[in-house]
Amino acid sequence: MREIEIKNFLKINHFNELSKLNLGNIGDNEIKVSYNKVYKNGQIEADCISKETLKNINDYCHPIASDLLNKLAPEKVKYYEYSEYHIVLTGKNFSFPIHRDTPNKLLSGVVYLHPDKNKGTIIHNKNKTIKKEIEWEKNKALFFSRTDKDSFHSYSSDGVSNRLTLVYNLMTRNIKGVCKEENLNYTYINLREKINPYIYKYFKTFI
């Protein structure tokens, strides 16, 4: 998997606004997600981010992300339908296990927002051993285009502070098309992705 890191990714006014968002209280081992979307036709679904701010962020970020997708996985560009701008708050002891992103994510991205120091993202090899850690740095973005075989990663908070990030993804609903590009069995992948959330819920009871 090829990863791309971009420092000072967001405009400073957008970064400051997102960093100050208040998602409320959270337990040390919990995660809270605010879901925000911008569709290809301009439709906006906003939760904690105002529609005006979300439009301005998308106007600035989308050309950058589209160019990255064209470099990392040009065969998937034609499937783009909408963008996710999810704000994710995790408690200081929260840990998300090793996983690959779902096939509907054409380009996966995260922007580190708050605090000054925390843990970044762990990139794993095919055998799920640690390949490297992307260090946490405020307003630094990490991007990659997932594949089924080599896009394993994980993340966790540092045990000291809650962790606030912007998860920015270019998305599609055309899983069958993505499977075709990756030479994957659509029936198998579709079934696996329906089962995975239940497996994760089971896993969480033991962490």
Side-chain angles (χ1 to χ4, degrees):
M1 181 177 75
R2 180 186 171 195
E3 312 91 34
I4 295 177
E5 298 176 50
I6 303 176
K7 294 187 177 184
N8 300 314
F9 177 71
L10 294 168
K11 286 185 174 180
I12 191 62
N13 59 316
H14 296 153
F15 171 78
N16 288 337
E17 185 169 348
L18 297 184
S19 298
K20 294 176 182 177
L21 289 172
N22 184 2
L23 271 61
N25 296 326
I26 189 171
D28 291 347
N29 295 292
E30 294 179 344
I31 182 172
K32 186 179 291 187
V33 183
S34 170
Y35 298 93
N36 306 273
K37 298 178 181 178
V38 179
Y39 291 85
K40 192 175 181 178
N41 66 2
Q43 178 187 347
I44 294 176
E45 294 178 4
D47 182 11
C48 68
I49 308 173
S50 73
K51 286 189 175 182
E52 180 181 1
T53 296
L54 196 53
K55 181 183 184 303
N56 290 337
I57 291 175
N58 187 69
D59 288 346
Y60 175 73
C61 291
H62 185 70
I64 300 172
S66 295
D67 183 61
L68 290 174
L69 179 59
N70 192 53
K71 290 177 180 176
L72 294 173
E75 71 281 0
K76 295 182 180 180
V77 171
K78 59 181 174 290
Y79 298 114
Y80 170 75
E81 294 181 55
Y82 64 100
S83 298
E84 292 180 338
Y85 291 91
H86 296 344
I87 302 297
V88 180
L89 176 66
T90 55
K92 67 179 184 178
N93 295 325
F94 180 84
S95 178
F96 200 98
I98 301 171
H99 64 287
R100 62 167 82 79
D101 278 353
T102 52
N104 59 334
K105 295 183 180 180
L106 305 175
L107 183 74
S108 299
V110 59
V111 184
Y112 307 124
L113 298 177
H114 184 80
D116 290 337
K117 294 182 180 180
N118 212 297
K119 287 187 176 181
T121 306
I122 306 294
I123 306 299
H124 300 265
N125 289 313
K126 296 178 187 178
N127 58 8
K128 299 185 181 180
T129 58
I130 294 176
K131 176 183 175 183
K132 65 178 178 180
E133 178 176 356
I134 307 300
E135 293 187 3
W136 179 279
E137 183 179 333
K138 291 171 72 171
N139 204 16
K140 181 170 75 173
L142 165 68
F143 289 99
F144 61 88
S145 182
R146 57 85 59 205
T147 66
D148 215 59
K149 296 180 180 179
D150 66 350
S151 55
F152 292 100
H153 58 289
S154 62
Y155 66 89
S156 63
S157 299
D158 62 1
V160 177
S161 304
N162 294 348
R163 182 181 189 272
L164 186 69
T165 60
L166 167 67
V167 173
Y168 173 33
N169 303 315
L170 300 188
M171 306 290 294
T172 185
R173 296 186 187 90
N174 192 346
I175 306 303
K176 185 174 287 188
V178 172
C179 288
K180 180 181 178 182
E181 299 298 340
E182 292 190 31
N183 294 314
L184 300 174
N185 184 299
Y186 168 71
T187 302
Y188 165 74
I189 296 298
N190 194 42
L191 178 62
R192 184 191 72 192
E193 296 306 317
K194 288 180 179 179
I195 293 173
N196 275 349
Y198 298 99
I199 295 176
Y200 174 63
K201 286 182 180 179
Y202 176 82
F203 173 85
K204 278 185 70 177
T205 64
F206 295 96
I207 59 175

